[in-house]
Amino acid sequence: MSRIFVVTSGKGGVGKTTSTANLGMALAQRGRKVVVLDADFGLRNLDLLLGLENRIVYTAIEVLSGECRLDQALVRDKRQPNLSLLPAAQNRTKESINADQMKQLVDSLKVSFDYVLIDCPAGIEQGFQNAIAAAQEALIVTTPEIAAVRDADRVVGLLEANDIKKQNLIVNRLKPAMVQEDLMMSVKDVQEILAIPLIGVVPDDERVIVSTNKGEPLVLEQKLTLAGLAYHNIARRLEGEAVPFLDLTATHDDLFSRIRRLFRGS
């Protein structure tokens, strides 16, 4: 029985595509057959984050029009054969596909894959409606900023109205030092506003930019950063494991307590 997730947020730039790429890869590393579906027609980026942009021949549009078979459009990751990408068409608009066609695509995919992760475009217009049409579960990604959280709250309501009740929260780009100085919303603040279960907290990490430019998800690194470890932990929680959350605050405290001891000469 495959699980079909939409990775969404409402606001652009909060890390939906990064989360989709890393969670897809992390689940594939655990032996699951995973397909990531780029639903952002016209502005696709998922292929870049996975480093698969040069291997795309066909897209979802050609599959739907009958110009190619589904297996011809799927791009299998050579680093992790359990992971495949179904790319969006870059030269089309979000109106090039409708909700029924998205359901058709996902129905075809779920026969062969354990997980279908749908990377949702920003906004709540046609692209959003298409992306959620076939989803059974949702991962809401937000940064701890009031505008992002407000948009996420709107999306939570829209998902519930579309009968997607199983929703989990990923708080992305958390900066513990700013939280402790009351310059950024805490994870608890975000949870209280959105009122959905928390499945992961990803700390802010400059390695995300490096991994994006290289087309290598953080979870592939041999020496995992905290962000890479956070994505692995989210994948484990999706699989039903009880995994403790990273103690990001303690890391920050330890660093500053060491600095204070140095200045005190102790």
Side-chain angles (χ1 to χ4, degrees):
M1 188 72 177
S2 62
R3 297 176 69 184
I4 303 160
F5 288 86
V6 61
V7 184
T8 185
S9 68
K11 190 177 185 301
V14 296
K16 292 184 296 294
T17 303
T18 300
S19 296
T20 304
N22 279 281
L23 290 176
M25 187 67 76
L27 288 164
Q29 288 175 319
R30 295 176 62 79
R32 307 302 179 211
K33 293 200 71 178
V34 183
V35 61
V36 289
L37 194 169
D38 195 337
D40 198 352
F41 290 83
L43 292 171
R44 74 176 187 216
N45 283 312
L46 189 53
D47 56 319
L48 290 172
L49 270 67
L50 289 169
L52 301 176
E53 68 275 9
N54 294 327
R55 294 181 50 208
I56 294 173
V57 179
Y58 298 110
T59 72
I61 291 292
E62 282 80 42
V63 175
L64 289 169
S65 66
E67 295 173 52
C68 73
R69 301 187 309 274
L70 178 61
D71 62 290
Q72 289 178 301
L74 287 169
V75 183
R76 182 175 290 187
D77 194 298
K78 291 180 179 177
R79 299 158 301 189
Q80 180 46 260
N82 285 328
L83 179 68
S84 296
L85 163 72
L86 181 57
Q90 201 169 10
N91 59 348
R92 303 293 186 94
T93 65
K94 293 171 179 60
E95 287 71 35
S96 300
I97 182 171
N98 59 42
D100 288 336
Q101 288 173 315
M102 182 63 76
K103 289 178 184 176
Q104 180 187 329
L105 275 177
V106 172
D107 283 344
S108 301
L109 291 167
K110 68 183 184 183
V111 176
S112 306
F113 293 94
D114 300 312
Y115 285 88
V116 180
L117 303 183
I118 304 166
D119 184 24
C120 185
I124 54 172
E125 288 77 38
Q126 184 63 49
F128 171 80
Q129 296 298 331
N130 292 341
I132 70 171
Q136 302 163 340
E137 305 177 50
L139 295 172
I140 312 292
V141 182
T142 186
T143 51
E145 305 161 63
I146 192 64
V149 174
R150 184 174 66 175
D151 286 0
D153 189 43
R154 173 87 168 114
V155 163
V156 167
L158 290 171
L159 290 168
E160 288 176 349
N162 282 272
D163 208 32
I164 302 174
K165 309 293 186 190
K166 195 167 184 181
Q167 304 177 31
N168 282 288
L169 172 65
I170 298 173
V171 178
N172 193 26
R173 294 188 197 142
L174 185 79
K175 296 183 180 183
M178 291 186 69
V179 173
Q180 289 188 337
E181 294 172 13
D182 289 328
L183 298 174
M184 176 178 275
M185 296 172 73
S186 68
V187 173
K188 186 179 178 182
D189 293 334
V190 178
Q191 279 183 280
E192 285 179 353
I193 294 169
L194 298 182
I196 58 174
L198 180 72
I199 200 166
V201 180
V202 183
D204 191 50
D205 190 340
E206 63 183 24
R207 288 288 303 167
V208 172
I209 298 170
V210 178
S211 73
T212 298
N213 290 338
K214 291 170 67 177
E216 295 180 4
L218 290 169
V219 294
L220 286 176
E221 294 184 352
Q222 285 188 327
K223 188 176 180 181
L224 286 175
T225 62
L226 281 175
L229 181 58
Y231 281 121
H232 271 295
N233 287 348
I234 294 169
R236 291 171 64 190
R237 293 184 194 109
L238 287 175
E239 294 265 271
E241 288 188 39
V243 185
F245 287 90
L246 297 174
D247 193 349
L248 301 172
T249 304
T251 301
H252 176 71
D253 283 341
D254 290 345
L255 173 63
F256 276 84
S257 63
R258 285 200 301 271
I259 292 171
R260 280 194 293 270
R261 283 198 301 271
L262 282 171
F263 276 95
R264 288 171 187 160
S266 57

